[in-house]
Amino acid sequence: MAASTRKGGSDKILEKLAAKINAGEFYEAHQLYKTLYFRYKVQNVPDKVIELLCSGSKLLLQKQQITSGADLAVTLSEYLKEAKAPVTGGLIENISELFRLMGDKCEPRDKFASIAVRWTKEVQPDFSYGNPDLHQSFACTLWKERNYAESRHHFIRSQDGFNCAAMLIEYSIEKGYPSEVDLFIVQAVFQYLCQRNKTTASIVFKEYTDKHPHVDRGPPYLLPLLNFVWLLLIAIESGKLALFSILCERYRPSIERDPGYFQYLDRIGQLFFGVPPPRQATGFGDIFSSLMQVDESAFSDEEVD
């Protein structure tokens, strides 16, 4: 009897909600959405909670009720995290659409996206940076908004090397100097590798160097850093520590263009070549001091092609 009464009460609120929407009374509609949300949450019906918040936030955002729509969207992401809801393709699509509808001027959008990423990290622990498809969708929206820095942040946590390369080409042409054409791709490759994502690292490097109008065709390349990355990817496939060591030494002047590269190479050496961490951390994460710790016998049986 009690359950039937609650159901009847919810149905009446839904009727009121539809009437408020049709009348354009969006503030009242927003309040009714919140009332229904709390009812469904108490009743422990997660499917209804998620459907209500997805459809409600989408409708309000489409009606240009950005504040109300964003509030429901943030409530959705908080609920997904709290309930540890399974990550599905449908939910990823809904979250991606809400992110797009909020627009780049919507202040709560960052909070919404951050909570959604944390939800996927907790539910899918294999993705330590969050669901890559979710990151890819955020990256593409931000790219269309010409927010290249934030787009790059999400692309690096995705598995979409093709679009990442296209965005980086546009980013370097629109915002970079001609002398930085290699820097845009090198850091991206290093960051993918530090996540053990060598497949996407290889794709983004090839796409960028093949299609950037200001990069001479290769390999080999005219720019030393591009040659270094090309050879580094080959060395990773071979797993030869000696080759990695020689590359780092020979290209050291180019690597020193950005002191941050040493930290990336420290990590890459540890992940793919068994290089130990530096005994004493330096400001530059000196990969060369790490390599000196490797017993010379590790090189004795290796040949550098």
Side-chain angles (χ1 to χ4, degrees):
M1 182 69 178
S4 176
T5 302
R6 285 197 300 269
K7 184 175 184 294
S10 298
D11 289 342
K12 288 181 180 178
I13 295 174
L14 283 170
E15 291 174 4
K16 289 182 181 178
L17 177 57
K20 295 298 182 184
I21 293 292
N22 291 333
E25 297 174 1
F26 298 116
Y27 174 81
E28 291 80 0
H30 178 220
Q31 299 309 307
L32 289 171
Y33 273 120
K34 297 299 289 269
T35 299
L36 270 175
Y37 159 67
F38 287 117
R39 284 203 177 200
Y40 288 155
K41 187 177 180 182
V42 169
Q43 293 170 17
N44 193 26
V45 282
D47 288 347
K48 285 189 175 182
V49 172
I50 293 169
E51 169 58 27
L52 175 79
L53 294 174
C54 282
S55 60
S57 54
K58 190 180 302 183
L59 186 149
L60 290 173
L61 289 169
Q62 288 171 337
K63 297 290 186 180
Q64 299 304 306
Q65 304 301 304
I66 304 302
T67 300
S68 297
D71 176 67
L72 291 186
V74 171
T75 303
L76 169 66
S77 62
E78 290 173 337
Y79 178 78
L80 293 173
K81 183 176 180 295
E82 178 187 336
K84 300 189 185 303
V87 177
T88 66
L91 278 174
I92 295 295
E93 289 180 10
N94 277 314
I95 292 170
S96 303
E97 185 173 7
L98 292 175
F99 184 82
R100 178 184 61 80
L101 288 171
M102 282 190 224
D104 60 346
K105 301 295 191 294
C106 178
E107 187 174 336
R109 186 168 81 163
D110 287 344
K111 179 180 179 181
F112 165 75
S114 176
I115 297 171
V117 168
R118 292 204 302 272
W119 157 60
T120 66
K121 285 171 62 175
E122 293 178 8
V123 176
Q124 298 179 308
D126 288 345
F127 298 126
S128 57
Y129 293 95
N131 184 280
D133 293 334
L134 184 62
H135 280 297
Q136 191 265 358
S137 70
F138 290 164
C140 287
T141 294
L142 291 159
W143 178 16
K144 290 175 183 175
E145 295 171 354
R146 299 171 66 85
N147 187 342
Y148 298 115
E150 286 300 312
S151 175
R152 184 190 179 286
H153 168 86
H154 288 288
F155 267 128
I156 294 299
R157 289 154 179 78
S158 79
Q159 297 172 348
D160 186 358
F162 294 98
N163 277 317
C164 181
M167 185 279 295
L168 288 173
I169 291 170
E170 185 177 312
Y171 190 9
S172 73
I173 293 172
E174 294 291 327
K175 302 293 185 179
Y177 295 102
S179 60
E180 298 174 330
V181 65
D182 50 349
L183 304 184
F184 278 85
I185 186 60
V186 169
Q187 187 180 46
V189 171
F190 287 168
Q191 289 178 330
Y192 276 123
L193 291 175
C194 286
Q195 298 175 63
R196 298 181 185 268
N197 192 351
K198 63 181 181 180
T199 299
T200 308
S202 297
I203 290 171
V204 74
F205 180 74
K206 186 176 189 309
E207 287 291 304
Y208 184 93
T209 53
D210 282 353
K211 296 180 179 178
H212 199 299
H214 302 150
V215 172
D216 293 314
R217 298 287 76 82
Y221 303 95
L222 292 178
L223 297 171
L225 265 180
L226 296 183
N227 275 329
F228 173 74
V229 172
W230 166 53
L231 294 170
L232 173 64
L233 292 170
I234 293 173
I236 287 172
E237 289 300 320
S238 74
K240 292 183 177 180
L241 175 58
L243 179 54
F244 176 64
S245 177
I246 290 170
L247 285 175
C248 288
E249 185 59 46
R250 289 186 179 175
Y251 284 92
R252 183 168 187 166
S254 297
I255 295 169
E256 287 176 336
R257 286 178 64 190
D258 185 339
Y261 290 165
F262 292 109
Q263 294 177 347
Y264 292 128
L265 290 170
D266 265 343
R267 184 63 178 155
I268 291 165
Q270 294 166 38
L271 291 175
F272 296 102
F273 301 99
V275 176
R279 287 175 186 158
Q280 187 173 8
T282 69
F284 301 110
D286 195 353
I287 182 63
F288 303 100
S289 66
S290 299
L291 290 171
M292 290 296 292
Q293 296 175 38
V294 181
D295 192 310
E296 290 183 1
S297 63
F299 295 89
S300 60
D301 295 328
E302 294 186 5
E303 295 180 357
V304 181
D305 296 331

